Amino acid sequence: MTSNQNVPTVKLLIDGKFVESATTEWTEVINPATQEVLAKVPATTPEEMEAAVSAAKKAFKTWRKTPIGARARIFLKYQQLIRENMSELAAILTAEQGKTIPDAEGDVFRGLEVVEHAAAIGNLQLGEMANNVASGVDTYTLQQPLGVCAGITPFNFPAMIPLWMFPMAIATGNTFVLKPSEQDPMVTMRLVELAVEAGIPAGVLNVVHGGKDVVNAICDHQDIRAVSFVGSTPVGTHVYNRASQAGKRAQCMMGAKNHAVVMPDANREQTLNAIAGSAFGAAGQRCMALSVVVLVGESAEWIPDIVKRAKTLKVNAGHEKGTDVGPLISRTALNRVNTFVEKGATEGAKLELDGRGPKVPSYEKGNFIGPTVFSGVTPEMSIYREEIFGPVLCILTADSMDEAIELVNANPHGNGTAVFTRSGAAARHFQEEIDVGQVGVNVPIPVPVPLFSFTGSRGSKLGDLGPYGKQVIQFYTQTKTVTSRWFDEDDVGTLNTTISLK
């Protein structure tokens, strides 16, 4: 806890009011480029947690009956407010998380796309009907909201991931309890303020803060029906198991080790640019970062070009113009990445480019590491097996596409992969044989737009349904099937309650 009493505190949102927590436990929000303390975040007390869930439970009684058009109009207003405040949101995000301004704007924009999707809820939350399934009998389904839902979000996308969660949950008629990352909750809270301004009623959206104890409280609370999580594999596995054991629906998007397979016929310049941007952008702190490149056949000759392109990237504070790689979120994260770089060299990989300890004038205290490239990496090495979550690229080689596919499929993670080639036949073979949920063809980070669902798989995902798109409507609703039969006034009933389908 900081001793500086002038540092602002991050508030809770309970029943429509932004309130000061009564806790005695606080976490500092630190600017990763300067180490300046920006704010203090409370560890929500059990009483505050109970108040947030109770407010959401009470609000659900009326919110679930709010006309679908009225819900949609709130999100029409909300997307407008996000657009109007884009520069402010990006500046806050950069200050607390470290991303470059363009990356921060992209973070907000990809969340905004889901808000726009939520505004179309009238077309998304439709049931089905079959007329005359028997004589005078109709059967139809209703997609009805569950009740109180909750979301636990990570530090690396403090705007996008919250916007993946609460807009779709609320648009479908649920109420929501959101727990942002305690490392960078300020942009999330600004988005929450705009959501309240857009017209989300009191109690429909609530925000709590904290660490493990608050996460466990969300998983355990009997009045929370569904939990959505994005973050690390250990925490995601814990959340999924604990929430599931408590009888909740759970979806957990977790760690990754994403591979790019480069064929010899790939467009050289476009591929090199794609690798540099996806491996080192956002300082590698993306679950969809391309952290592994598999060079097939003659493309193994590209290693010097990859290193040369990486050297052109500028390391600096995120708000400085021309910055390509900003700082890591914390000193702990920096130490972890530096340790992995040391391990890679010790285990026998060739350190083609060492980004440790860059000189960044005016930001000597920042959590910086520059683009780092290893070649000669093998699947047994820790830098290949573990998710490093920094601007570190591992290069492997393969003699054929099939060998590369076998390598990718042997990895336990299944978040995303990409192939770079000019051959349609090769691309189709790759997408058919690869066992990964999201595939890019000459697209380095194949995150789908909200018309589709995020579909990570295998060790990168627990739960059947994705966090947005069509699948999230299923996640946040319960299907109710109604079979109905109506009689005219002069019809004579029967004691036989079995409906004949003949």
PDB file of all heavy atoms in Angstrom, residues 250-283:
ATOM      1  N   ALA A 250     -19.423 -21.650 -17.149  1.00  0.00           N
ATOM      2  CA  ALA A 250     -18.133 -20.969 -17.152  1.00  0.00           C
ATOM      3  C   ALA A 250     -17.507 -21.059 -18.535  1.00  0.00           C
ATOM      4  O   ALA A 250     -17.601 -22.087 -19.205  1.00  0.00           O
ATOM      5  CB  ALA A 250     -17.188 -21.583 -16.116  1.00  0.00           C
ATOM      6  N   GLN A 251     -16.917 -19.965 -18.949  1.00  0.00           N
ATOM      7  CA  GLN A 251     -16.105 -19.927 -20.172  1.00  0.00           C
ATOM      8  C   GLN A 251     -14.785 -19.264 -19.805  1.00  0.00           C
ATOM      9  O   GLN A 251     -14.771 -18.163 -19.241  1.00  0.00           O
ATOM     10  CB  GLN A 251     -16.803 -19.173 -21.305  1.00  0.00           C
ATOM     11  CG  GLN A 251     -17.219 -17.760 -20.978  1.00  0.00           C
ATOM     12  CD  GLN A 251     -17.722 -16.980 -22.178  1.00  0.00           C
ATOM     13  OE1 GLN A 251     -17.596 -15.759 -22.231  1.00  0.00           O
ATOM     14  NE2 GLN A 251     -18.301 -17.641 -23.149  1.00  0.00           N
ATOM     15  N   CYS A 252     -13.680 -19.930 -20.091  1.00  0.00           N
ATOM     16  CA  CYS A 252     -12.364 -19.423 -19.714  1.00  0.00           C
ATOM     17  C   CYS A 252     -11.433 -19.458 -20.915  1.00  0.00           C
ATOM     18  O   CYS A 252     -11.098 -20.530 -21.426  1.00  0.00           O
ATOM     19  CB  CYS A 252     -11.785 -20.248 -18.568  1.00  0.00           C
ATOM     20  SG  CYS A 252     -12.752 -20.139 -17.036  1.00  0.00           S
ATOM     21  N   MET A 253     -11.029 -18.281 -21.384  1.00  0.00           N
ATOM     22  CA  MET A 253     -10.054 -18.143 -22.456  1.00  0.00           C
ATOM     23  C   MET A 253      -8.688 -17.955 -21.795  1.00  0.00           C
ATOM     24  O   MET A 253      -8.493 -17.016 -21.017  1.00  0.00           O
ATOM     25  CB  MET A 253     -10.372 -16.933 -23.341  1.00  0.00           C
ATOM     26  CG  MET A 253     -11.801 -16.894 -23.867  1.00  0.00           C
ATOM     27  SD  MET A 253     -12.229 -18.280 -24.915  1.00  0.00           S
ATOM     28  CE  MET A 253     -13.594 -18.982 -23.985  1.00  0.00           C
ATOM     29  N   MET A 254      -7.741 -18.836 -22.130  1.00  0.00           N
ATOM     30  CA  MET A 254      -6.514 -18.895 -21.328  1.00  0.00           C
ATOM     31  C   MET A 254      -5.258 -18.722 -22.184  1.00  0.00           C
ATOM     32  O   MET A 254      -5.273 -18.010 -23.176  1.00  0.00           O
ATOM     33  CB  MET A 254      -6.518 -20.207 -20.564  1.00  0.00           C
ATOM     34  CG  MET A 254      -7.799 -20.418 -19.742  1.00  0.00           C
ATOM     35  SD  MET A 254      -7.776 -21.896 -18.719  1.00  0.00           S
ATOM     36  CE  MET A 254      -7.612 -23.176 -19.965  1.00  0.00           C
ATOM     37  N   GLY A 255      -4.165 -19.347 -21.759  1.00  0.00           N
ATOM     38  CA  GLY A 255      -2.861 -19.124 -22.362  1.00  0.00           C
ATOM     39  C   GLY A 255      -2.745 -19.667 -23.777  1.00  0.00           C
ATOM     40  O   GLY A 255      -3.623 -20.361 -24.285  1.00  0.00           O
ATOM     41  N   ALA A 256      -1.629 -19.338 -24.420  1.00  0.00           N
ATOM     42  CA  ALA A 256      -1.452 -19.712 -25.823  1.00  0.00           C
ATOM     43  C   ALA A 256       0.026 -19.814 -26.170  1.00  0.00           C
ATOM     44  O   ALA A 256       0.889 -19.294 -25.463  1.00  0.00           O
ATOM     45  CB  ALA A 256      -2.119 -18.688 -26.727  1.00  0.00           C
ATOM     46  N   LYS A 257       0.268 -20.495 -27.271  1.00  0.00           N
ATOM     47  CA  LYS A 257       1.585 -20.503 -27.907  1.00  0.00           C
ATOM     48  C   LYS A 257       1.302 -20.571 -29.400  1.00  0.00           C
ATOM     49  O   LYS A 257       1.187 -21.643 -29.994  1.00  0.00           O
ATOM     50  CB  LYS A 257       2.407 -21.715 -27.440  1.00  0.00           C
ATOM     51  CG  LYS A 257       3.895 -21.545 -27.638  1.00  0.00           C
ATOM     52  CD  LYS A 257       4.479 -20.505 -26.684  1.00  0.00           C
ATOM     53  CE  LYS A 257       5.996 -20.402 -26.834  1.00  0.00           C
ATOM     54  NZ  LYS A 257       6.581 -19.416 -25.914  1.00  0.00           N
ATOM     55  N   ASN A 258       1.134 -19.403 -30.008  1.00  0.00           N
ATOM     56  CA  ASN A 258       0.644 -19.325 -31.382  1.00  0.00           C
ATOM     57  C   ASN A 258       1.793 -19.419 -32.384  1.00  0.00           C
ATOM     58  O   ASN A 258       2.817 -18.759 -32.243  1.00  0.00           O
ATOM     59  CB  ASN A 258      -0.122 -18.014 -31.583  1.00  0.00           C
ATOM     60  CG  ASN A 258      -1.221 -17.843 -30.547  1.00  0.00           C
ATOM     61  OD1 ASN A 258      -2.026 -18.740 -30.343  1.00  0.00           O
ATOM     62  ND2 ASN A 258      -1.240 -16.697 -29.886  1.00  0.00           N
ATOM     63  N   HIS A 259       1.581 -20.242 -33.418  1.00  0.00           N
ATOM     64  CA  HIS A 259       2.602 -20.510 -34.425  1.00  0.00           C
ATOM     65  C   HIS A 259       2.241 -19.872 -35.767  1.00  0.00           C
ATOM     66  O   HIS A 259       1.078 -19.922 -36.187  1.00  0.00           O
ATOM     67  CB  HIS A 259       2.741 -22.015 -34.667  1.00  0.00           C
ATOM     68  CG  HIS A 259       3.174 -22.806 -33.472  1.00  0.00           C
ATOM     69  ND1 HIS A 259       2.421 -22.923 -32.324  1.00  0.00           N
ATOM     70  CD2 HIS A 259       4.305 -23.547 -33.262  1.00  0.00           C
ATOM     71  CE1 HIS A 259       3.056 -23.697 -31.457  1.00  0.00           C
ATOM     72  NE2 HIS A 259       4.196 -24.095 -32.004  1.00  0.00           N
ATOM     73  N   ALA A 260       3.242 -19.332 -36.431  1.00  0.00           N
ATOM     74  CA  ALA A 260       3.122 -18.947 -37.834  1.00  0.00           C
ATOM     75  C   ALA A 260       3.963 -19.904 -38.663  1.00  0.00           C
ATOM     76  O   ALA A 260       5.146 -20.093 -38.384  1.00  0.00           O
ATOM     77  CB  ALA A 260       3.604 -17.512 -38.054  1.00  0.00           C
ATOM     78  N   VAL A 261       3.346 -20.519 -39.636  1.00  0.00           N
ATOM     79  CA  VAL A 261       4.061 -21.416 -40.551  1.00  0.00           C
ATOM     80  C   VAL A 261       4.323 -20.654 -41.848  1.00  0.00           C
ATOM     81  O   VAL A 261       3.375 -20.183 -42.498  1.00  0.00           O
ATOM     82  CB  VAL A 261       3.243 -22.694 -40.808  1.00  0.00           C
ATOM     83  CG1 VAL A 261       3.911 -23.550 -41.875  1.00  0.00           C
ATOM     84  CG2 VAL A 261       3.075 -23.476 -39.509  1.00  0.00           C
ATOM     85  N   VAL A 262       5.581 -20.503 -42.196  1.00  0.00           N
ATOM     86  CA  VAL A 262       5.970 -19.706 -43.356  1.00  0.00           C
ATOM     87  C   VAL A 262       6.473 -20.635 -44.458  1.00  0.00           C
ATOM     88  O   VAL A 262       7.482 -21.338 -44.286  1.00  0.00           O
ATOM     89  CB  VAL A 262       7.053 -18.679 -42.982  1.00  0.00           C
ATOM     90  CG1 VAL A 262       7.453 -17.857 -44.214  1.00  0.00           C
ATOM     91  CG2 VAL A 262       6.567 -17.756 -41.863  1.00  0.00           C
ATOM     92  N   MET A 263       5.755 -20.631 -45.584  1.00  0.00           N
ATOM     93  CA  MET A 263       6.163 -21.430 -46.727  1.00  0.00           C
ATOM     94  C   MET A 263       7.136 -20.637 -47.610  1.00  0.00           C
ATOM     95  O   MET A 263       7.106 -19.396 -47.610  1.00  0.00           O
ATOM     96  CB  MET A 263       4.936 -21.847 -47.535  1.00  0.00           C
ATOM     97  CG  MET A 263       3.915 -22.663 -46.746  1.00  0.00           C
ATOM     98  SD  MET A 263       4.617 -24.171 -46.044  1.00  0.00           S
ATOM     99  CE  MET A 263       4.947 -25.106 -47.556  1.00  0.00           C
ATOM    100  N   PRO A 264       7.982 -21.320 -48.367  1.00  0.00           N
ATOM    101  CA  PRO A 264       8.979 -20.617 -49.191  1.00  0.00           C
ATOM    102  C   PRO A 264       8.377 -19.659 -50.209  1.00  0.00           C
ATOM    103  O   PRO A 264       9.042 -18.696 -50.616  1.00  0.00           O
ATOM    104  CB  PRO A 264       9.724 -21.762 -49.889  1.00  0.00           C
ATOM    105  CG  PRO A 264       9.534 -22.938 -48.998  1.00  0.00           C
ATOM    106  CD  PRO A 264       8.170 -22.788 -48.414  1.00  0.00           C
ATOM    107  N   ASP A 265       7.127 -19.908 -50.632  1.00  0.00           N
ATOM    108  CA  ASP A 265       6.523 -19.056 -51.661  1.00  0.00           C
ATOM    109  C   ASP A 265       5.810 -17.848 -51.072  1.00  0.00           C
ATOM    110  O   ASP A 265       5.196 -17.070 -51.819  1.00  0.00           O
ATOM    111  CB  ASP A 265       5.545 -19.879 -52.503  1.00  0.00           C
ATOM    112  CG  ASP A 265       4.321 -20.323 -51.714  1.00  0.00           C
ATOM    113  OD1 ASP A 265       4.405 -20.391 -50.475  1.00  0.00           O
ATOM    114  OD2 ASP A 265       3.282 -20.594 -52.348  1.00  0.00           O
ATOM    115  N   ALA A 266       5.841 -17.655 -49.759  1.00  0.00           N
ATOM    116  CA  ALA A 266       5.127 -16.536 -49.145  1.00  0.00           C
ATOM    117  C   ALA A 266       5.674 -15.206 -49.630  1.00  0.00           C
ATOM    118  O   ALA A 266       6.862 -15.077 -49.963  1.00  0.00           O
ATOM    119  CB  ALA A 266       5.240 -16.617 -47.621  1.00  0.00           C
ATOM    120  N   ASN A 267       4.806 -14.195 -49.673  1.00  0.00           N
ATOM    121  CA  ASN A 267       5.230 -12.841 -50.009  1.00  0.00           C
ATOM    122  C   ASN A 267       6.185 -12.343 -48.927  1.00  0.00           C
ATOM    123  O   ASN A 267       5.789 -12.175 -47.774  1.00  0.00           O
ATOM    124  CB  ASN A 267       4.017 -11.919 -50.131  1.00  0.00           C
ATOM    125  CG  ASN A 267       4.382 -10.519 -50.552  1.00  0.00           C
ATOM    126  OD1 ASN A 267       5.099  -9.805 -49.855  1.00  0.00           O
ATOM    127  ND2 ASN A 267       3.890 -10.112 -51.713  1.00  0.00           N
ATOM    128  N   ARG A 268       7.415 -12.113 -49.307  1.00  0.00           N
ATOM    129  CA  ARG A 268       8.478 -11.875 -48.320  1.00  0.00           C
ATOM    130  C   ARG A 268       8.222 -10.625 -47.475  1.00  0.00           C
ATOM    131  O   ARG A 268       8.232 -10.685 -46.237  1.00  0.00           O
ATOM    132  CB  ARG A 268       9.831 -11.769 -49.037  1.00  0.00           C
ATOM    133  CG  ARG A 268      11.035 -11.997 -48.120  1.00  0.00           C
ATOM    134  CD  ARG A 268      12.318 -11.915 -48.940  1.00  0.00           C
ATOM    135  NE  ARG A 268      13.486 -12.326 -48.217  1.00  0.00           N
ATOM    136  CZ  ARG A 268      14.075 -13.512 -48.319  1.00  0.00           C
ATOM    137  NH1 ARG A 268      13.580 -14.417 -49.150  1.00  0.00           N
ATOM    138  NH2 ARG A 268      15.153 -13.812 -47.611  1.00  0.00           N
ATOM    139  N   GLU A 269       7.997  -9.484 -48.100  1.00  0.00           N
ATOM    140  CA  GLU A 269       7.859  -8.231 -47.357  1.00  0.00           C
ATOM    141  C   GLU A 269       6.614  -8.242 -46.472  1.00  0.00           C
ATOM    142  O   GLU A 269       6.654  -7.835 -45.304  1.00  0.00           O
ATOM    143  CB  GLU A 269       7.814  -7.042 -48.330  1.00  0.00           C
ATOM    144  CG  GLU A 269       9.154  -6.708 -48.948  1.00  0.00           C
ATOM    145  CD  GLU A 269      10.209  -6.388 -47.897  1.00  0.00           C
ATOM    146  OE1 GLU A 269       9.941  -5.534 -47.021  1.00  0.00           O
ATOM    147  OE2 GLU A 269      11.287  -7.008 -47.935  1.00  0.00           O
ATOM    148  N   GLN A 270       5.500  -8.690 -47.030  1.00  0.00           N
ATOM    149  CA  GLN A 270       4.264  -8.723 -46.250  1.00  0.00           C
ATOM    150  C   GLN A 270       4.392  -9.668 -45.063  1.00  0.00           C
ATOM    151  O   GLN A 270       3.916  -9.369 -43.955  1.00  0.00           O
ATOM    152  CB  GLN A 270       3.093  -9.131 -47.144  1.00  0.00           C
ATOM    153  CG  GLN A 270       2.741  -8.090 -48.194  1.00  0.00           C
ATOM    154  CD  GLN A 270       1.608  -8.558 -49.107  1.00  0.00           C
ATOM    155  OE1 GLN A 270       1.097  -9.654 -48.970  1.00  0.00           O
ATOM    156  NE2 GLN A 270       1.232  -7.702 -50.052  1.00  0.00           N
ATOM    157  N   THR A 271       5.038 -10.798 -45.260  1.00  0.00           N
ATOM    158  CA  THR A 271       5.190 -11.766 -44.186  1.00  0.00           C
ATOM    159  C   THR A 271       6.111 -11.245 -43.094  1.00  0.00           C
ATOM    160  O   THR A 271       5.823 -11.389 -41.891  1.00  0.00           O
ATOM    161  CB  THR A 271       5.725 -13.103 -44.737  1.00  0.00           C
ATOM    162  OG1 THR A 271       4.831 -13.589 -45.744  1.00  0.00           O
ATOM    163  CG2 THR A 271       5.846 -14.135 -43.629  1.00  0.00           C
ATOM    164  N   LEU A 272       7.219 -10.632 -43.478  1.00  0.00           N
ATOM    165  CA  LEU A 272       8.136 -10.069 -42.488  1.00  0.00           C
ATOM    166  C   LEU A 272       7.454  -8.986 -41.651  1.00  0.00           C
ATOM    167  O   LEU A 272       7.628  -8.922 -40.429  1.00  0.00           O
ATOM    168  CB  LEU A 272       9.379  -9.505 -43.172  1.00  0.00           C
ATOM    169  CG  LEU A 272      10.335 -10.534 -43.790  1.00  0.00           C
ATOM    170  CD1 LEU A 272      11.404  -9.833 -44.619  1.00  0.00           C
ATOM    171  CD2 LEU A 272      10.982 -11.403 -42.707  1.00  0.00           C
ATOM    172  N   ASN A 273       6.677  -8.131 -42.300  1.00  0.00           N
ATOM    173  CA  ASN A 273       5.938  -7.096 -41.564  1.00  0.00           C
ATOM    174  C   ASN A 273       4.926  -7.706 -40.608  1.00  0.00           C
ATOM    175  O   ASN A 273       4.746  -7.251 -39.469  1.00  0.00           O
ATOM    176  CB  ASN A 273       5.227  -6.156 -42.537  1.00  0.00           C
ATOM    177  CG  ASN A 273       6.182  -5.226 -43.260  1.00  0.00           C
ATOM    178  OD1 ASN A 273       7.268  -4.927 -42.755  1.00  0.00           O
ATOM    179  ND2 ASN A 273       5.798  -4.769 -44.441  1.00  0.00           N
ATOM    180  N   ALA A 274       4.242  -8.760 -41.083  1.00  0.00           N
ATOM    181  CA  ALA A 274       3.243  -9.425 -40.250  1.00  0.00           C
ATOM    182  C   ALA A 274       3.887 -10.071 -39.026  1.00  0.00           C
ATOM    183  O   ALA A 274       3.362  -9.970 -37.906  1.00  0.00           O
ATOM    184  CB  ALA A 274       2.495 -10.475 -41.069  1.00  0.00           C
ATOM    185  N   ILE A 275       5.029 -10.699 -39.213  1.00  0.00           N
ATOM    186  CA  ILE A 275       5.718 -11.345 -38.093  1.00  0.00           C
ATOM    187  C   ILE A 275       6.166 -10.301 -37.078  1.00  0.00           C
ATOM    188  O   ILE A 275       5.969 -10.465 -35.859  1.00  0.00           O
ATOM    189  CB  ILE A 275       6.923 -12.156 -38.603  1.00  0.00           C
ATOM    190  CG1 ILE A 275       6.439 -13.389 -39.381  1.00  0.00           C
ATOM    191  CG2 ILE A 275       7.816 -12.585 -37.434  1.00  0.00           C
ATOM    192  CD1 ILE A 275       7.548 -14.141 -40.087  1.00  0.00           C
ATOM    193  N   ALA A 276       6.757  -9.222 -37.545  1.00  0.00           N
ATOM    194  CA  ALA A 276       7.253  -8.188 -36.633  1.00  0.00           C
ATOM    195  C   ALA A 276       6.112  -7.583 -35.817  1.00  0.00           C
ATOM    196  O   ALA A 276       6.220  -7.413 -34.593  1.00  0.00           O
ATOM    197  CB  ALA A 276       7.983  -7.105 -37.416  1.00  0.00           C
ATOM    198  N   GLY A 277       5.016  -7.266 -36.489  1.00  0.00           N
ATOM    199  CA  GLY A 277       3.899  -6.638 -35.788  1.00  0.00           C
ATOM    200  C   GLY A 277       3.229  -7.558 -34.792  1.00  0.00           C
ATOM    201  O   GLY A 277       2.887  -7.146 -33.673  1.00  0.00           O
ATOM    202  N   SER A 278       3.054  -8.817 -35.180  1.00  0.00           N
ATOM    203  CA  SER A 278       2.316  -9.739 -34.319  1.00  0.00           C
ATOM    204  C   SER A 278       3.166 -10.334 -33.210  1.00  0.00           C
ATOM    205  O   SER A 278       2.650 -10.717 -32.163  1.00  0.00           O
ATOM    206  CB  SER A 278       1.710 -10.863 -35.161  1.00  0.00           C
ATOM    207  OG  SER A 278       2.716 -11.550 -35.876  1.00  0.00           O
ATOM    208  N   ALA A 279       4.471 -10.420 -33.407  1.00  0.00           N
ATOM    209  CA  ALA A 279       5.352 -10.971 -32.372  1.00  0.00           C
ATOM    210  C   ALA A 279       5.734  -9.934 -31.334  1.00  0.00           C
ATOM    211  O   ALA A 279       5.862 -10.258 -30.137  1.00  0.00           O
ATOM    212  CB  ALA A 279       6.609 -11.553 -33.012  1.00  0.00           C
ATOM    213  N   PHE A 280       5.926  -8.684 -31.755  1.00  0.00           N
ATOM    214  CA  PHE A 280       6.473  -7.672 -30.860  1.00  0.00           C
ATOM    215  C   PHE A 280       5.495  -6.559 -30.514  1.00  0.00           C
ATOM    216  O   PHE A 280       5.730  -5.798 -29.574  1.00  0.00           O
ATOM    217  CB  PHE A 280       7.743  -7.075 -31.476  1.00  0.00           C
ATOM    218  CG  PHE A 280       8.742  -8.117 -31.913  1.00  0.00           C
ATOM    219  CD1 PHE A 280       9.154  -8.208 -33.236  1.00  0.00           C
ATOM    220  CD2 PHE A 280       9.251  -9.024 -31.000  1.00  0.00           C
ATOM    221  CE1 PHE A 280      10.059  -9.180 -33.638  1.00  0.00           C
ATOM    222  CE2 PHE A 280      10.163  -9.996 -31.403  1.00  0.00           C
ATOM    223  CZ  PHE A 280      10.564 -10.080 -32.719  1.00  0.00           C
ATOM    224  N   GLY A 281       4.401  -6.430 -31.257  1.00  0.00           N
ATOM    225  CA  GLY A 281       3.395  -5.429 -30.937  1.00  0.00           C
ATOM    226  C   GLY A 281       2.789  -5.678 -29.568  1.00  0.00           C
ATOM    227  O   GLY A 281       2.714  -6.817 -29.106  1.00  0.00           O
ATOM    228  N   ALA A 282       2.377  -4.600 -28.906  1.00  0.00           N
ATOM    229  CA  ALA A 282       1.853  -4.670 -27.536  1.00  0.00           C
ATOM    230  C   ALA A 282       2.861  -5.331 -26.601  1.00  0.00           C
ATOM    231  O   ALA A 282       2.495  -5.944 -25.595  1.00  0.00           O
ATOM    232  CB  ALA A 282       0.513  -5.407 -27.494  1.00  0.00           C
ATOM    233  N   ALA A 283       4.151  -5.202 -26.942  1.00  0.00           N
ATOM    234  CA  ALA A 283       5.257  -5.797 -26.168  1.00  0.00           C
ATOM    235  C   ALA A 283       5.069  -7.293 -25.975  1.00  0.00           C
ATOM    236  O   ALA A 283       5.544  -7.865 -24.990  1.00  0.00           O
ATOM    237  CB  ALA A 283       5.416  -5.087 -24.822  1.00  0.00           C
TER     238      ALA A 283
END
